């Protein structure tokens, strides 16, 4: 399926899903041109929420899998050519719907919604579930780095579908996101818990993380003006 979001990059209009390849669409009449996987160079799924650096024009994205490698980071240049694919080390097959980007880093979220083989064997349409024993952390990777450069930060137990934006401030990564303190208590179709806009501060020097709730207004699907992706910003929308 390709039913989550759209992005225009490298002269192509792409329709994106949760766990497959993109579909290229004709921007004139929105007809489907076909599956797009960078001339078969893309060997993983593609996230529904890539980020385009407003200065370089490079698009940063990832694919997650229930098999190793569980997470792979990708870059495509401004011309729409795949120029980097880097398999990253994680603790297991976690669900990663979104990520964040700053001027020099990308930030991944390994949270306690994980693949369940029991659900898969029972043919559950969505074989993921909450696991209290799973890790809950964010990983910061330099855009130019490799897997060994990942720096992990433990955070309070939560789940995040969508980030608003992230940027760098001195030694810190500032990341704003819609955060669920609890989710899927009754099962994978339980979405009755509200998300709140919260700010994470990840200190690259000390290795410490802190989180503050910004607003008591429940919210989701945060966005900003994409000309400010990865940079300090003033306005967000949800």
């Amino acid at each position: 399926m390709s039913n989550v979001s759209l992005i225009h990059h490298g002269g192509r209009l792409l329709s994106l899903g949760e766990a497959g390849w993109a579909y290229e669409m004709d921007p004139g009449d929105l007809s489907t041109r076909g599956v797009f996987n960078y001339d078969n160079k893309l060997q993983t799924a593609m996230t529904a929420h890539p980020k385009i650096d407003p200065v370089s024009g490079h698009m940063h994205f990832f694919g997650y899998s229930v098999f190793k490698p569980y997470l792979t980071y990708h870059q495509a240049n401004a011309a729409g050519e795949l120029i980097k694919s880097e398999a990253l080390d994680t603790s297991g097959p976690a669900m990663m719907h979104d990520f964040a980007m700053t001027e020099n880093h990308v930030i991944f979220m390994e949270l306690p919604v994980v693949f369940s083989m029991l659900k898969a064997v029972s043919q559950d349409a969505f074989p993921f579930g909450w696991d209290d024993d799973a890790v809950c952390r964010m990983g910061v990777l330099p855009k130019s780095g490799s897997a060994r450069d990942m720096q992990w930060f433990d955070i309070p137990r939560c789940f995040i579908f969508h980030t608003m934006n992230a940027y760098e401030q001195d030694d810190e990564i500032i990341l704003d996101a819609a955060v669920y303190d609890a989710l899927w208590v009754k099962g994978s179709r339980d979405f009755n818990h509200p998300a709140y806009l919260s700010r994470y501060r990840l200190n690259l020097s000390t290795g410490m993380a802190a989180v503050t709730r910004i607003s008591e207004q429940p919210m989701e699907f945060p966005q900003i003006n994409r000309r400010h992706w990865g940079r300090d910003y003033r306005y967000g929308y949800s």
Side-chain angles (χ1 to χ4, degrees):
M1 293 187 293
S2 181
N3 60 353
V4 179
S5 65
L6 297 163
I7 199 160
H8 191 274
H9 184 253
R12 296 183 178 92
L13 177 62
L14 302 178
S15 173
L16 305 169
E18 171 71 18
W21 285 331
Y23 279 80
E24 184 177 355
M25 301 170 65
D26 188 311
D29 62 10
L30 301 185
S31 60
T32 301
R33 290 178 174 172
V35 170
F36 178 73
N37 61 4
Y38 295 94
D39 294 324
N40 296 317
K41 294 179 181 178
L42 183 63
Q43 297 298 306
T44 74
M46 182 175 182
T47 178
H49 298 295
K51 317 294 182 193
I52 299 174
D53 189 292
V55 175
S56 69
H58 286 206
M59 185 165 74
H60 302 264
F61 60 101
F62 69 92
Y64 75 89
S65 173
V66 300
F67 304 107
K68 288 186 176 182
Y70 299 122
L71 177 64
T72 305
Y73 165 52
H74 304 282
Q75 286 184 27
N77 64 20
E81 302 164 326
L82 190 66
I83 59 172
K84 180 172 184 171
S85 293
E86 181 75 18
L88 304 176
D89 296 322
T90 65
S91 64
M95 178 183 174
M96 298 189 191
H97 184 69
D98 197 2
F99 76 124
M101 174 192 73
T102 69
E103 181 178 357
N104 298 296
H105 300 84
V106 285
I107 304 98
F108 300 100
M109 302 175 291
E110 190 177 6
L111 307 175
V113 172
V114 300
F115 174 72
S116 166
M117 182 59 73
L118 179 61
K119 288 179 179 288
V121 171
S122 64
Q123 297 185 335
D124 190 311
F126 195 79
F128 289 84
W130 186 274
D131 183 352
D132 278 324
D133 296 324
V135 300
C136 190
R137 60 185 185 170
M138 293 184 175
V140 178
L141 178 73
K143 289 178 178 177
S144 60
S146 61
R148 63 179 177 273
D149 299 312
M150 180 81 86
Q151 184 176 358
W152 289 104
F153 295 81
D154 292 329
I155 60 173
R157 194 154 299 276
C158 68
F159 188 74
I160 297 169
F161 278 113
H162 302 109
T163 63
M164 179 173 275
N165 189 39
Y167 60 94
E168 298 162 16
Q169 186 177 83
D170 300 324
D171 290 338
E172 289 187 322
I173 301 291
I174 311 297
L175 189 155
D176 298 331
V179 178
Y180 295 86
D181 292 332
L183 193 67
W184 297 350
V185 174
K186 301 175 184 176
S188 62
R189 303 211 173 22
D190 175 21
F191 293 95
N192 294 322
H193 302 277
Y196 298 94
L197 184 62
S198 301
R199 170 162 291 183
Y200 291 88
R201 292 182 174 272
L202 311 177
N203 192 299
L204 300 177
S205 296
T206 66
M208 300 300 292
V211 59
T212 304
R213 183 177 292 182
I214 293 175
S215 171
E216 295 300 321
Q217 171 66 50
M219 54 82 74
E220 247 296 0
F221 303 106
Q223 290 284 318
I224 69 164
N225 182 328
R226 293 181 177 186
R227 290 178 293 179
H228 298 280
W229 253 345
R231 272 65 174 182
D232 194 2
Y233 70 116
R234 183 175 180 181
Y235 297 107
Y237 310 86
S238 67

